[in-house]
């Protein structure tokens, strides 16, 4: 996996965690849900990239 994609995916996961925390702190369920969704997307992208690396080697 390229370092750039790995960093971008990790950034998306971290951004999701921040949104989720902000949503919990303010009581905004929409923001909390959006944060969880971003975390799932970031994790899924990481998994896909790891799978690609497995087949390359």
């Amino acid at each position: 996996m390229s370092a750039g994609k790995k960093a971008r995916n990790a950034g998306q996961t971290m951004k999701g965690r921040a949104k989720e925390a902000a949503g919990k702190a303010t009581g905004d369920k929409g923001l909390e849900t959006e944060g969880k969704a971003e975390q799932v997307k970031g994790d899924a992208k990481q998994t896909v990239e790891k799978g690609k690396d497995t087949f390359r080697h």
Side-chain angles (χ1 to χ4, degrees):
M1 169 181 345
S2 75
K5 286 185 181 181
K6 184 176 181 181
R8 192 173 354 168
N9 296 337
Q12 185 172 19
T13 301
M14 294 301 293
K15 182 178 174 186
R17 286 185 185 148
K19 279 187 178 182
E20 182 182 7
K24 282 182 181 180
T26 61
D28 186 346
K29 292 289 184 186
L31 186 60
E32 187 177 342
T33 303
E34 186 179 328
K36 287 180 183 180
E38 277 195 40
Q39 287 179 56
V40 170
K41 281 176 63 176
D43 290 342
K45 288 179 182 181
Q46 290 258 27
T47 302
V48 169
E49 288 300 320
K50 286 180 184 178
K52 286 180 184 179
D53 285 345
T54 300
F55 287 110
R56 287 185 193 149
H57 298 280

